[in-house]
């Protein structure tokens, strides 16, 4: 929720979770259920949902969601949906900060452009990141495994 609060000023946020979602929230239309990231159909279910909801960006925040969505980025790109996770070939090189403190300065990168600010980084990275003090190294943010 704290990450969504940071995003809600710039984006219309649709919450999706594989955890149980209270019926009241589901009825609001802002929350949807998705399968667990470990299931083989996960990426296809997220793609179907993204198309149905006219989603422009998918931001995986669960650790088990990162790899399947990194593998499916090309498929999502065919439908003009950006998956904000590093490419599969470099994903495992990133440090992952799980459930980071709310006061960290996040950058949300899409092809190196910070969707939350003016900065443009030399790399073509995708994902929710925190930067090192020098702003030259990144760690990937997720909220749970």
């Amino acid at each position: 929720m704290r990450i969504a609060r940071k995003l809600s000023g710039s984006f219309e946020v649709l919450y999706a979770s594989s955890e149980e979602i209270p019926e009241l929230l589901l009825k609001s239309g802002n929350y949807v259920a998705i399968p667990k990231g470990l299931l083989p159909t996960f990426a296809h279910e997220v793609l179907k949902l993204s198309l149905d909801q006219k989603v422009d960006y998918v931001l995986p925040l669960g650790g088990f969601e990162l790899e399947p969505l990194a593998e499916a980025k090309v498929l999502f790109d065919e439908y003009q949906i950006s998956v904000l996770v590093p490419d599969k070939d470099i994903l495992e090189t990133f440090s992952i900060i799980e459930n980071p403190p709310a006061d960290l300065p996040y950058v949300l990168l899409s092809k190196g452009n910070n969707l939350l600010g003016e900065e443009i980084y030399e790399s073509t990275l995708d994902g929710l990141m925190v930067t090192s003090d020098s702003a030259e190294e990144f760690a990937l943010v997720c909220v749970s495994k």
Side-chain angles (χ1 to χ4, degrees), residues 13 43 53 56 85 88:
V13 177
Q53 298 287 331
D56 295 320
V85 65
K88 182 185 177 217

Side-chain angles (χ1 to χ4, degrees), residues 103-119:
D103 60 345
L104 283 180
Y106 298 106
V107 293
L108 181 60
L109 300 178
S110 177
K111 308 290 184 245
N113 297 312
N114 183 5
L115 299 176
L116 300 176
E118 302 291 321
E119 306 89 0

Side-chain angles (χ1 to χ4, degrees), residues 42-76:
F42 175 73
H44 289 284
E45 293 291 326
V46 172
L47 177 60
K48 181 181 180 310
L49 173 68
S50 299
L51 291 169
D52 290 347
Q53 298 287 331
K54 297 179 174 71
V55 168
D56 295 320
Y57 298 100
V58 173
L59 175 60
L61 293 175
F64 292 123
E65 299 170 355
L66 300 174
E67 187 174 332
L69 289 175
E71 290 175 1
K73 282 179 77 166
V74 172
L75 177 61
F76 280 76

